[in-house]
Amino acid sequence: MAHRSFAVPAATIHAQRRREDGGVGTAPSPPVYAEPFLLGTASTSTAKEEVKNRLREGRKKQKLAKERAGLSKLPDLKDAEAVQKFFLEEIQLGEELLAQGEYEKGVDHLTNAIAVYGQPQQLLQVLQQTLPPPVFQMLLTKLPTISQRIVSAQSLAEDDVE
């Protein structure tokens, strides 16, 4: 019997060679790439932590800024004109915020106005008649805080004079 030769397509031979020597088309062996990859993730996770920390710090600053927004700079309590201007601005701002549904901020500004007003009891009576009971109650709970602020502002002003 005669030996017959037959042709093997070239693509089959190349595919066989690639499988044998780990050439093109096969995944690289894991140990070769595992170390650099792990190093990359370590520095990436550190960078991610830094970004997260910066975001947290930014949010804290924004939160403090929002809290301080209601704490308007108090006028010089010895300057009647400055006090009157401050009072009117705080009443107006408080009313606007309440009308927009921002009760917390509105109440903050109203308490500022009460704190500098010459006759706070009369003003409280008027506000009790005009504000919804829950908003008025919120105002009453915030009054001690603003009163403390006024006292500390006065003592700081007196320290500046000395």
Side-chain angles (χ1 to χ4, degrees):
M1 199 155 108
H3 182 50
R4 274 209 271 172
S5 78
F6 53 93
V8 176
T12 306
I13 294 171
H14 292 298
Q16 181 64 33
R17 284 188 193 146
R18 279 190 295 237
R19 273 187 242 120
E20 289 171 358
D21 63 10
V24 179
T26 61
S29 57
V32 173
Y33 292 101
E35 246 180 86
F37 174 72
L38 291 175
L39 289 174
T41 56
S43 63
T44 302
S45 63
T46 303
K48 286 180 182 177
E49 281 300 315
E50 286 179 32
V51 169
K52 284 181 184 178
N53 288 337
R54 287 184 189 150
L55 286 172
R56 280 188 203 116
E57 288 173 18
R59 287 187 196 120
K60 284 181 185 177
K61 287 179 183 177
Q62 284 178 341
K63 185 178 178 184
L64 285 173
K66 283 182 182 178
E67 289 173 0
R68 289 184 184 142
L71 303 175
S72 302
K73 183 162 172 38
L74 295 172
D76 177 6
L77 299 175
K78 294 173 185 161
D79 182 354
E81 190 175 319
V83 170
Q84 183 179 5
K85 181 182 178 200
F86 177 81
F87 170 78
L88 292 173
E89 287 173 354
E90 291 297 295
I91 289 287
Q92 182 179 5
L93 191 53
E95 288 175 347
E96 288 172 4
L97 289 166
L98 290 175
Q100 294 170 7
E102 296 194 36
Y103 300 111
E104 218 33 69
K105 290 179 183 176
V107 166
D108 285 342
H109 289 285
L110 290 177
T111 54
N112 289 340
I114 293 167
V116 299
Y117 192 66
Q119 298 170 328
Q121 290 300 330
Q122 289 179 340
L123 183 55
L124 281 170
Q125 288 174 348
V126 170
L127 290 172
Q128 185 175 17
Q129 301 297 315
T130 57
L131 295 174
V135 175
F136 184 73
Q137 192 59 44
M138 189 185 307
L139 183 123
L140 291 179
T141 58
K142 288 193 178 232
L143 277 178
T145 308
I146 191 62
S147 298
Q148 182 58 44
R149 223 177 118 220
I150 295 285
V151 168
S152 62
Q154 282 178 331
S155 65
L156 285 175
E158 289 171 3
D159 289 347
D160 289 344
V161 172
E162 293 174 0

